[in-house]
Amino acid sequence: MTAPAHRPTKRATHPLVPAFVRFVVCGGGVGLAASGALVLLGERVPLVLANAVITVASTVVATELHSRITFRSTHGGWRVHLRSGLTVAVSYVFTTGALVVLHAVQEAPSALVEQTVYLSASAAAGVGRFALLRLVVFAPPAALSPAPAPSPPAALSPAPALAGREMAVAA
């Protein structure tokens, strides 16, 4: 007899891991494209206007990519874009707040320190944004519906009918 061949087992990954990887790739790709577009558009119009236009356009594109690729959702429409836009606004406030705190603590931080704080805050905001998009914006319909009412405790539930030989005794 021969021993059964050992087959390597494929290690199962939690479904969040591939979704998060897709989130980073889609969001990072849009971010890089937006950065290039900002440079090109910033040469033709004021930088503030270019940044506003690029931010809105890249948020719409990223939301569509996250809907279709990251979360493989069937959700769509302006409500999804509005909710996603709100997560971008929260991320902006978070990263800006981190830089404001840095400048309050250090009068003239080096570029390296400033970038470290900004990138760390951006990473934390990205993780938070992923969670909000997954749990709120692109949540499956069952996750958005109210939870079923809990069943009453045993003491309050109706007593089962007595079977053949059982007898109730009142004290």
Side-chain angles (χ1 to χ4, degrees):
M1 266 191 203
T2 61
H6 175 68
R7 291 183 189 168
T9 58
K10 183 178 177 184
R11 187 173 179 195
T13 59
H14 194 280
L16 284 179
V17 173
F20 188 73
V21 169
R22 291 189 304 265
F23 174 78
V24 170
V25 169
C26 289
V30 169
L32 288 174
S35 176
L38 182 63
V39 170
L40 294 175
L41 189 59
E43 294 174 355
R44 292 169 177 74
V45 298
L47 190 58
V48 173
L49 176 61
N51 188 29
V53 169
I54 296 299
T55 298
V56 170
S58 64
T59 300
V60 169
V61 170
T63 299
E64 284 298 318
L65 289 174
H66 291 318
S67 175
R68 296 169 190 223
I69 297 170
T70 302
F71 300 107
R72 297 178 176 156
S73 173
T74 57
H75 297 309
W78 288 107
R79 180 175 288 178
V80 166
H81 285 282
L82 177 63
R83 287 179 178 175
S84 179
L86 289 174
T87 68
V88 171
V90 169
S91 297
Y92 171 79
V93 169
F94 185 77
T95 54
T96 302
L99 291 173
V100 167
V101 168
L102 170 64
H103 284 274
V105 172
Q106 270 189 345
E107 190 172 312
S110 69
L112 180 63
V113 169
E114 196 170 56
Q115 283 299 300
T116 301
V117 168
Y118 175 74
L119 292 173
S120 298
S122 292
V127 170
R129 187 162 183 262
F130 173 79
L132 284 173
L133 289 174
R134 183 174 188 282
L135 298 173
V136 177
V137 178
F138 298 112
L144 293 177
S145 63
S151 58
L156 298 178
S157 60
L162 297 176
R165 291 191 235 162
E166 295 174 332
M167 191 163 90
V169 178

